[in-house]
Amino acid sequence: MKKHKCPIPTVDIIIEIKRKNGQEGIILIKRKNPPHGWALPGGFVDCGESLEEAAVREAKEETSLDIKLKSQFHTYSDPKRDPRKHTISTVYVATAQGRPKAQDDAQDIRIFTEEEINFPLAFDSPRRKSIFLLPSTIKRY
């Protein structure tokens, strides 16, 4: 009998936050593990966990921040977006307050404005600017 392979569910979180100077941006983490580079905080969904629970947990693990989910942004399913395996990633928009601290598999962490993200991200680099284009029709919590 042929073994059926399924994509792995993941979550990513666009965390909107203000810098000390009041300038608004989003949090990116520099990944410790391959694929290396800057990425949105996120990770794999655990068994028995909802996507929303996974987003809150992953944000806390990687940024040390408690987040408030605002909306579901988009789901990305391109089999080539993650070089490790086929994943389906649901992206959430959230807010947070405080100072992020790199934890877990985050080597570094920073708050970036749209203009500062002029480099490829670890995943979905062609879509990097779309993280700042939040349509008014997305589901609100």
Side-chain angles (χ1 to χ4, degrees):
M1 180 185 240
K2 184 179 175 184
K3 185 176 180 181
H4 186 70
K5 293 169 96 178
C6 296
I8 307 295
T10 64
V11 293
D12 292 308
I13 312 98
I14 300 168
I15 303 173
E16 300 171 338
I17 193 167
K18 289 186 180 183
R19 291 178 171 166
K20 287 181 186 178
N21 66 5
Q23 190 175 25
E24 293 186 5
I26 65 165
I27 294 174
L28 295 180
I29 61 157
K30 190 170 190 179
R31 294 177 49 82
K32 277 185 194 175
N33 304 311
H36 296 286
W38 290 95
L40 293 170
F44 297 102
V45 178
D46 291 340
C47 286
E49 184 176 54
S50 72
L51 295 173
E52 294 82 4
E53 291 166 338
V56 170
R57 175 185 52 76
E58 284 289 345
K60 181 74 168 182
E61 287 177 2
E62 294 184 353
T63 71
S64 77
L65 296 172
D66 293 312
I67 63 167
K68 179 175 178 165
L69 294 177
K70 287 175 45 177
S71 59
Q72 188 180 101
F73 177 59
H74 191 76
T75 298
Y76 296 96
S77 62
D78 183 344
K80 297 179 192 105
R81 75 173 290 276
D82 187 333
R84 301 168 297 179
K85 57 182 108 175
H86 182 184
T87 62
I88 296 176
S89 184
T90 301
V91 181
Y92 288 89
V93 180
T95 57
Q97 294 182 339
R99 294 292 125 223
K101 179 181 167 194
Q103 298 187 141
D104 195 36
D105 57 351
Q107 175 180 316
D108 194 5
I109 192 165
R110 293 190 194 154
I111 300 170
F112 289 88
T113 63
E114 180 177 6
E115 296 76 28
E116 293 168 334
I117 303 177
N118 57 4
F119 48 85
L121 298 180
F123 305 99
D124 294 327
S125 57
R127 296 182 186 91
R128 71 179 177 269
K129 291 296 182 180
S130 73
I131 60 179
F132 288 95
L133 304 173
L134 301 177
S136 60
T137 57
I138 55 181
K139 180 181 174 189
R140 301 280 175 196
Y141 291 102

